Amino acid sequence: MKPRIAIDAMGGDEGVRVMLGGAAEARHRHERFTFLLVGDEKQIKQGLDNHPNLRAASEILHTEEVVKGEDKPSQALRKSKNSSMGLAIQAVKSGDCSAAVSAGNTGALMAMAKLALRTMPGIDRPALAALLPTLEETDMVMLDLGANTECDARNLVQFAIMGAVYSQIIFGFEKPRTGLLNIGTEESKGTEAIRDAAAALRAATHLPMQFKGFIEADKISRGDVDVVVTDGFSGNIALKALEGTARFVTDLLKRSFQSSLRSKIGFLISRPATELLKHHLDPNNHNGAVFLGLNGVVVKSHGSASIKGVANAVEVAARLVEDNITQRIGDVLKDFDTSAIASNGVASNGSGEFPK
Amino acid sequence: MKPRIAIDAMGGDEGVRVMLGGAAEARHRHERFTFLLVGDEKQIKQGLDNHPNLRAASEILHTEEVVKGEDKPSQALRKSKNSSMGLAIQAVKSGDCSAAVSAGNTGALMAMAKLALRTMPGIDRPALAALLPTLEETDMVMLDLGANTECDARNLVQFAIMGAVYSQIIFGFEKPRTGLLNIGTEESKGTEAIRDAAAALRAATHLPMQFKGFIEADKISRGDVDVVVTDGFSGNIALKALEGTARFVTDLLKRSFQSSLRSKIGFLISRPATELLKHHLDPNNHNGAVFLGLNGVVVKSHGSASIKGVANAVEVAARLVEDNITQRIGDVLKDFDTSAIASNGVASNGSGEFPK
């Protein structure tokens, strides 16, 4: 199945320029990719003038309606049929495209994708999964990052399965090391939902993961596990704390380097080192948050992603399509019935805001 | 009231040497402090040989029993009467001392302190509050950091009041800017408990704080607010994510500086800059997590704190005693009855592990 990717050309801080640039770079890396570019035809055509290679592999679907950054999910849902974001998702639903990529409003994208594509069989709730840098060579997967404010044990077990299959596909691990985010490592720690989820994962023997028990938030970046599973509230808190602190420390470092002439000179000399750091932390190298658990692949690119970042998000989308993530998650669930796991019926209280 | 501080001389990674060193440094800074040093008399006497100034201001309370790092709170409680930690807390209970400082097992300290000192009138649950570095001059206060896994709206409002009074005392702000940790800033975000707490704080007009609504985890280190309020689960996740990421980024930086001869030279030259960064992030400059809401002052020093770190924890304890924190919190609660605020009766599921 050759990936044909629907691109919401209007989403993100810079819209057409970056989205088309990213698609063109992905196409440059993978000749077999084709695209449906959704948005303002005039702007897209202009943009394609710089990318003949992409033009040759793309169709344009014109629309003038755009989901705004400040639109609430309920407002955005009214734009399901006509906005660039909505039409990109509809193209996945109809089977015209195999995946959609958008850098637009996350809450809106989640709501639209869930409504149009529906949750896949065996999964109660979709989750938002992202890749994060670690001290090791490969990134780790963390989910949920804000799709579900409150989760029961069954949700967490399903997230663990989806995250493990995602990690298998993206990094090729046979049995990704998987941990549940908690405030301590002993069995007695945390909420009932987390403890019940841990008990179920510990008891399961043929899941595609090594279950490593609980992991604390200070260990996330160390690369001790490949998948960190959590509810959307804690996941969003952890993710934003990670991002905020990385920025905080680099800001402090910058300020320190400017504190004296000697430090400024040292900075210039050690530039390769700080560039290496910058490269490692650059979100564009880890771009593409995925909605797992839907009947279709939808990838959220960071709102401020660069062309390279968008290209990476497109690659992630294509990879998930080519490796049949939905079917592979379904296959695991065939052998492992999660419906017996405690569900305490907590309600979702709206979705978190994924960092742009 | 001259602060007389009970020191658990046996707690922490290095025990007597660091605890006595820290007390001696605090005494050196403040001649009026006196101490009750609790632990093995022989070791303490030996240690005091290096600190004649501290010896002149101290009594020794001998005991051989020690709470271990791996003791569970339930095991530790059996040591309430005879361990160095337990006796330090008992000295506060009896009125012999005005505060206790320990660098031992946090869960044990919390359990013992709660049992011996009891929660103060008007407060349903005590909370663990710590100081964290920001981009600004002053630190910020975050609570709860693990004393209560699940919290209702009333708990959160009480934490906000305690955190604000703590910030007033330590930093002298008249109305500390106070925010509730959440996954977005809109009123609709987060759990019911958080939204109800926000509504109650927004409606209250004469609390000793400026209520700033919701704050996201990536803003914690920016210094936009003076107090961040959260349940113990999210607070523990956020705190550990902050600490872990700060370490992660500095580890990456170290590695980058070692990546080439040029970078190594740059590092040597820019050393003052990296030392400045190290100083700013050094937990010893922000040492002393406080249990707020008890009938008495109990301060937890980091297990790996240096002499300076312990001295800072002792200073925090003395400051809270001299400024009558318990009474000041009580005064606020006299004018603001929190018993009307929604309490959905969630149960505490044991305490989180505060990072050593």
Side-chain angles (χ1 to χ4, degrees):
Chain A
M1 184 180 184
K2 276 192 197 171
R4 174 167 148 102
I5 318 273
I7 304 281
D8 169 9
M10 314 310 284
D13 298 351
E14 284 200 66
V16 174
R17 187 187 74 82
V18 167
M19 296 308 292
L20 262 55
E25 186 171 324
R27 158 83 183 166
H28 185 73
R29 296 183 200 162
H30 307 277
E31 283 286 315
R32 67 189 180 284
F33 291 5
T34 62
F35 297 91
L36 179 70
L37 307 173
V38 191
D40 184 87
E41 185 165 23
K42 202 176 143 200
Q43 287 184 54
I44 293 174
K45 278 193 169 157
Q46 269 178 0
L48 285 176
D49 286 346
N50 301 319
H51 303 292
N53 189 40
L54 176 64
R55 181 160 51 199
S58 300
E59 265 182 88
I60 298 173
L61 178 60
H62 173 72
T63 183
E64 277 164 21
E65 194 170 42
V66 168
V67 173
K68 292 190 191 116
E70 64 274 19
D71 282 352
K72 295 202 170 136
S74 55
Q75 293 173 292
L77 282 180
R78 276 176 245 133
K79 299 180 178 175
S80 289
K81 299 288 174 203
N82 287 313
S83 62
S84 57
M85 183 188 282
L87 287 169
I89 293 170
Q90 295 298 334
V92 177
K93 186 182 180 185
S94 70
D96 176 29
C97 288
S98 37
V101 174
S102 174
N105 180 328
T106 310
L109 187 65
M110 265 194 298
M112 279 187 187
K114 203 171 157 182
L115 187 73
L117 301 176
R118 302 278 166 191
T119 307
M120 63 175 283
I123 295 292
D124 295 312
R125 301 219 208 129
L128 188 59
L131 303 177
L132 296 174
T134 69
L135 281 176
E136 304 300 319
E137 283 297 303
T138 51
D139 289 353
M140 46 86 52
V141 173
M142 185 154 81
L143 77 168
D144 173 33
L145 298 176
N148 310 282
T149 305
E150 291 172 272
C151 294
D152 59 30
R154 193 194 296 169
N155 297 141
L156 293 172
V157 169
Q158 292 172 358
F159 296 172
I161 292 169
M162 296 195 294
V165 173
Y166 182 43
S167 175
Q168 282 185 320
I169 290 175
I170 298 290
F171 301 111
F173 298 130
E174 201 186 331
K175 289 195 159 230
R177 297 163 303 163
T178 301
L180 280 167
L181 188 64
N182 202 347
I183 59 175
T185 52
E186 302 89 336
E187 285 189 26
S188 62
K189 294 288 179 184
T191 61
E192 202 180 335
I194 296 174
R195 293 195 305 267
D196 288 350
L201 289 169
R202 232 176 262 124
T205 50
H206 47 284
L207 290 178
M209 68 180 79
Q210 300 169 55
F211 178 60
K212 292 290 188 182
F214 298 138
I215 176 167
E216 295 179 80
D218 55 340
K219 309 293 188 314
I220 294 174
S221 306
R222 289 215 330 216
D224 296 348
V225 297
D226 306 307
V227 180
V228 170
V229 177
T230 173
D231 65 87
F233 191 89
S234 307
N236 199 284
I237 297 281
L239 176 70
K240 285 181 183 158
L242 293 172
E243 295 188 336
T245 309
R247 207 177 310 125
F248 168 60
V249 176
T250 48
D251 283 356
L252 279 180
L253 188 68
K254 260 184 237 160
R255 191 195 282 179
S256 305
F257 274 130
Q258 281 156 9
S259 63
S260 71
L261 182 61
R262 177 176 160 177
S263 295
K264 279 182 197 165
I265 293 169
F267 171 72
L268 288 175
I269 294 173
S270 55
R271 194 130 202 186
T274 51
E275 287 298 317
L276 207 63
L277 175 71
K278 217 169 131 187
H279 176 81
H280 197 101
L281 293 176
D282 183 356
N284 287 304
N285 296 325
H286 320 277
N287 193 35
V290 180
F291 293 115
L292 295 173
L294 298 173
N295 293 303
V297 172
V298 176
V299 172
K300 165 72 171 88
S301 174
H302 252 249
S304 60
S306 66
I307 284 175
K308 184 181 155 205
V310 173
N312 288 343
V314 170
E315 264 188 338
V316 165
R319 190 71 180 269
L320 295 178
V321 167
E322 293 188 309
D323 281 24
N324 268 315
I325 185 158
T326 311
Q327 196 193 310
R328 283 179 61 173
I329 292 170
D331 288 347
V332 175
L333 292 170
K334 256 181 228 155
D335 293 335
F336 184 74
D337 182 10
T338 62
S339 65
I341 299 166
S343 156
N344 60 12
V346 291
S348 175
N349 284 308
S351 60
E353 230 176 322
F354 189 71
K356 281 179 75 185
Chain B
M1 182 177 184
K2 276 193 198 170
R4 174 169 149 99
I5 318 273
I7 303 282
D8 169 9
M10 314 311 284
D13 298 351
E14 284 201 67
V16 173
R17 187 187 74 82
V18 168
M19 296 309 292
L20 262 55
E25 185 169 326
R27 158 81 185 171
H28 184 74
R29 295 183 200 161
H30 308 278
E31 282 286 316
R32 68 189 180 284
F33 291 4
T34 60
F35 297 89
L36 179 70
L37 306 173
V38 190
D40 184 88
E41 186 165 21
K42 201 176 144 199
Q43 287 184 54
I44 293 174
K45 279 193 167 158
Q46 269 179 358
L48 284 175
D49 285 346
N50 301 318
H51 304 293
N53 190 40
L54 176 64
R55 181 162 48 199
S58 300
E59 266 182 85
I60 298 173
L61 178 58
H62 172 72
T63 182
E64 278 165 22
E65 195 172 39
V66 169
V67 173
K68 294 192 189 111
E70 64 275 18
D71 281 352
K72 295 203 170 136
S74 55
Q75 292 173 292
L77 282 179
R78 275 175 247 135
K79 299 181 177 173
S80 289
K81 299 289 173 203
N82 288 312
S83 62
S84 57
M85 183 189 282
L87 286 169
I89 293 170
Q90 295 297 335
V92 178
K93 186 183 180 184
S94 70
D96 176 31
C97 288
S98 37
V101 174
S102 174
N105 180 329
T106 310
L109 187 64
M110 266 195 295
M112 279 188 188
K114 203 172 158 182
L115 186 73
L117 302 176
R118 302 278 165 191
T119 307
M120 62 175 286
I123 294 293
D124 295 311
R125 299 220 208 132
L128 187 59
L131 304 176
L132 295 175
T134 70
L135 281 176
E136 304 300 320
E137 283 298 302
T138 52
D139 288 352
M140 47 85 53
V141 173
M142 185 153 83
L143 77 167
D144 174 31
L145 298 176
N148 309 282
T149 306
E150 289 171 273
C151 294
D152 58 31
R154 192 195 296 169
N155 298 141
L156 293 172
V157 169
Q158 293 172 358
F159 296 172
I161 291 169
M162 297 195 294
V165 173
Y166 181 43
S167 176
Q168 283 185 321
I169 291 176
I170 298 290
F171 301 111
F173 298 130
E174 201 185 333
K175 288 193 161 233
R177 298 162 302 164
T178 302
L180 280 168
L181 189 63
N182 203 346
I183 58 175
T185 53
E186 301 89 336
E187 285 188 25
S188 61
K189 293 289 179 184
T191 61
E192 201 180 335
I194 296 175
R195 293 196 304 268
D196 288 350
L201 290 169
R202 231 177 261 123
T205 50
H206 48 282
L207 289 179
M209 69 180 78
Q210 301 169 55
F211 179 59
K212 293 290 189 184
F214 298 137
I215 176 169
E216 296 178 80
D218 54 340
K219 309 293 188 312
I220 294 174
S221 306
R222 287 212 333 212
D224 296 348
V225 298
D226 306 307
V227 180
V228 170
V229 178
T230 173
D231 65 86
F233 191 89
S234 306
N236 200 283
I237 298 281
L239 176 70
K240 285 181 184 160
L242 294 171
E243 295 189 336
T245 310
R247 206 176 312 126
F248 169 59
V249 176
T250 48
D251 283 356
L252 278 181
L253 189 68
K254 259 182 237 161
R255 192 196 283 180
S256 303
F257 274 131
Q258 282 157 8
S259 63
S260 69
L261 183 62
R262 177 177 159 177
S263 295
K264 278 182 197 163
I265 293 168
F267 172 73
L268 288 175
I269 294 173
S270 55
R271 193 127 201 189
T274 51
E275 287 297 317
L276 207 63
L277 174 72
K278 215 169 132 188
H279 176 81
H280 197 101
L281 293 176
D282 183 357
N284 287 304
N285 296 324
H286 321 275
N287 193 34
V290 179
F291 292 115
L292 296 173
L294 298 173
N295 292 304
V297 172
V298 176
V299 172
K300 165 72 172 89
S301 173
H302 252 250
S304 60
S306 66
I307 284 174
K308 184 181 156 205
V310 173
N312 288 343
V314 170
E315 264 187 340
V316 165
R319 190 72 180 269
L320 295 178
V321 167
E322 293 188 308
D323 281 24
N324 267 315
I325 185 158
T326 310
Q327 197 192 311
R328 284 179 60 173
I329 293 170
D331 289 347
V332 175
L333 292 171
K334 256 181 227 155
D335 294 334
F336 183 75
D337 182 10
T338 61
S339 64
I341 299 165
S343 156
N344 59 11
V346 290
S348 174
N349 285 309
S351 60
E353 231 176 322
F354 189 72
K356 282 178 76 184

